Amino acid sequence: MTIFIIIAVAMAIALVLLRLRRPIGVAIMVAGLFIWAMTGPQISELTQALVQMASLPRNYDLVIALYLVICLEIELRKSGCLAGMVQALYRMFSGPKFTLAVMPAFLGLLPSIGGARFSAPIVEEASKGMSVTQENKAAINFWFRHIFEFSSPIIPGMILACGIAGVKVGDLIIHLGWLTVLAFILGWIFMIRPVKVDAVERTLESSEEMHRHNVDFILSLAPVIANVILMVAFNLNASVAMGIVVVAMIGVLMAFNRHVSIKEVFVGALDYKMFANILCILLFIQILDTTGLLSQIVSAFESSVLPVPVIIGCIAFIVGVLTGISQGHVAIVMPIVAALSMGDLDLVGVAMVFGVAGQMITPTHVCLTITVDYFKSDFFKTLKPVVMAEALLLVAFIAVSYLTWGKALF
């Protein structure tokens, strides 16, 4: 069985299990075991995958950071800061729909996978008084959180890609930044525009309420900004930075008379089902590595007669689907780009855009798992508007790339 048929069948198995409403982690693990069984199964490969998953520092950083993000969300929600922040945003912006889009987009600048779990309750709170399904809320949270994948200098995938391929971060942002604007527009068309705002008369805020809500707004955004500063300026891991912020916020909230139960914060963040799903995804990624599947994909395309941009785009997309993280497709595809043409901004752009496209439509993407789990939404209904928006984004990028530099390559 060829490698691409194995991948297709594995993804089909995962999708069928999801359609049967099995947990995402179970669906992904069954797909991973199928891949292992079809590529010369050896128990040592599974053992090696498990050992690698358990020994990689970045996995611990991811899981601990996610746990601490949930702790922070509980602190802000139980203290009333999230509700107050949304009220302040309603007053700042012309309509509540804008808040739905802007908040997950802003929090998408937070360089942590767990940020999707932090923005989800804000979307939930902001959507009160609107006719919007759980699937639409989940799609909004997932899509807008990732619109800065093409233009943020602190996104790990962006930094890693530029370092490997020998291009400046600023140059790549200028090259791809227009896609962030387009992503916002497409997200608005497919996800925000269908939302109906119920005709509910909002009571005028007193000066005291306005002041309190403004303080809530600052208290809600301060930990996000502090986390970015700790990670960027002091080069701390996400888990360490989030740990400092979570502990510090207990004292800050008490100082502003926003008391929360410490036990409720740290015990309430233990979402066993969600963490089990994430661990299954991490193990799946290691199975891809130990079975040699990813290297076989690269070898298959390298021997192809297709034009170089098409090969790079296909590899990036497939690896993005399989790994679900920007660092995954960047680490595998960018060395190929560097070997073919070091410093080629156009080729780097192709790899980034198609890799992100793959990670945006796959159940292996942890942010999607977190979001679907939080809103208890249907996976396929959540993904439908995301796929439509991503398809149009890819079409626009292909058209622009072909017209500006691709003609000479075909």
Side-chain angles (χ1 to χ4, degrees):
M1 190 181 294
T2 68
I3 193 66
F4 295 107
I5 294 177
I6 291 174
I7 294 171
V9 174
M11 289 296 101
I13 291 171
L15 293 175
V16 168
L17 289 172
L18 288 171
R19 177 65 71 183
L20 295 174
R21 298 189 177 278
R22 297 295 185 270
I24 290 178
V26 172
I28 294 301
M29 271 309 303
V30 172
L33 291 174
F34 172 79
I35 289 173
W36 168 76
M38 292 294 105
T39 54
Q42 297 181 24
I43 296 298
S44 60
E45 291 177 345
L46 291 180
T47 305
Q48 185 182 356
L50 188 60
V51 170
Q52 286 181 358
M53 185 197 73
S55 60
L56 284 175
R58 69 168 182 262
N59 289 343
Y60 289 96
D61 186 49
L62 187 158
V63 174
I64 294 172
L66 175 56
Y67 167 74
L68 292 168
V69 165
I70 300 174
C71 289
L72 178 60
E73 181 267 317
I74 293 173
E75 288 178 340
L76 297 179
R77 175 165 48 84
K78 293 294 184 179
S79 65
C81 290
L82 285 182
M85 180 184 68
V86 171
Q87 292 302 316
L89 289 170
Y90 282 161
R91 188 175 66 251
M92 293 177 191
F93 300 128
S94 58
K97 282 187 175 184
F98 199 62
T99 302
L100 272 181
V102 167
M103 285 314 300
F106 173 77
L107 293 172
L109 294 170
L110 180 69
S112 167
I113 269 182
R117 180 57 176 75
F118 185 64
S119 58
I122 297 177
V123 170
E124 183 71 63
E125 183 69 31
S127 64
K128 290 180 178 178
M130 303 182 193
S131 296
V132 52
T133 65
Q134 293 300 102
E135 286 74 21
N136 202 4
K137 293 177 193 176
I140 289 168
N141 185 63
F142 178 62
W143 177 264
F144 284 97
R145 171 165 170 74
H146 293 91
I147 65 173
F148 287 107
E149 290 281 345
F150 313 105
S151 58
S152 173
I154 60 174
I155 296 293
M158 175 78 72
I159 297 171
L160 182 62
C162 292
I164 295 174
V167 301
K168 294 180 179 179
V169 174
D171 291 341
L172 187 57
I173 289 175
I174 293 172
H175 185 63
L176 298 180
W178 63 277
L179 289 169
T180 290
V181 178
L182 179 59
F184 185 90
I185 293 171
L186 291 172
W188 189 277
I189 292 171
F190 286 103
M191 298 159 217
I192 300 295
R193 187 176 57 85
V195 173
K196 304 297 182 183
V197 180
D198 298 337
V200 177
E201 185 177 347
R202 296 188 180 275
T203 58
L204 293 176
E205 296 175 299
S206 66
S207 58
E208 183 178 341
E209 288 174 327
M210 287 177 62
H211 174 72
R212 182 179 178 85
H213 293 160
N214 288 338
V215 172
D216 289 335
F217 178 80
I218 294 170
L219 289 175
S220 295
L221 291 189
V224 177
I225 296 170
N227 188 70
V228 172
I229 292 172
L230 287 171
M231 292 182 66
V232 176
F234 296 94
N235 199 32
L236 295 180
N237 290 336
S239 57
V240 176
M242 283 304 306
I244 293 172
V245 168
V246 167
V247 173
M249 279 303 293
I250 294 174
V252 170
L253 291 172
M254 287 177 133
F256 283 88
N257 198 29
R258 311 290 205 276
H259 297 282
V260 293
S261 166
I262 296 177
K263 179 180 179 181
E264 193 172 6
V265 168
F266 291 101
V267 175
L270 295 172
D271 189 337
Y272 298 106
K273 178 183 174 183
M274 184 184 67
F275 285 115
N277 285 334
I278 291 171
L279 290 175
C280 286
I281 290 172
L282 294 176
L283 181 56
F284 171 80
I285 293 171
Q286 293 308 134
I287 289 174
L288 297 181
D289 182 45
T290 57
T291 57
L293 183 93
L294 296 177
S295 60
Q296 291 180 53
I297 293 171
V298 173
S299 298
F301 275 108
E302 284 181 333
S303 61
S304 171
V305 296
L306 294 171
V308 170
V310 175
I311 293 173
I312 294 299
C314 288
I315 295 175
F317 183 81
I318 292 172
V319 176
V321 169
L322 291 173
T323 62
I325 55 174
S326 59
Q327 296 98 314
H329 65 77
V330 166
I332 293 168
V333 180
M334 284 304 167
I336 302 173
V337 172
L340 291 172
S341 183
M342 176 67 81
D344 190 330
L345 198 60
D346 293 311
L347 211 53
V348 172
V350 169
M352 282 295 293
V353 173
F354 277 85
V356 170
Q359 76 180 57
M360 287 298 290
I361 63 169
T362 175
T364 63
H365 192 155
V366 173
C367 285
L368 181 58
T369 302
I370 292 170
T371 300
V372 169
D373 181 75
Y374 179 86
F375 290 103
K376 302 296 184 290
S377 61
D378 180 88
F379 175 82
F380 294 96
K381 291 179 181 177
T382 297
L383 207 56
K384 182 179 178 181
V386 172
V387 170
M388 291 190 293
E390 190 62 53
L392 288 179
L393 190 83
L394 271 184
V395 168
F397 175 75
I398 292 170
V400 170
S401 297
Y402 181 77
L403 293 174
T404 54
W405 69 280
K407 286 183 178 181
L409 301 173
F410 291 88

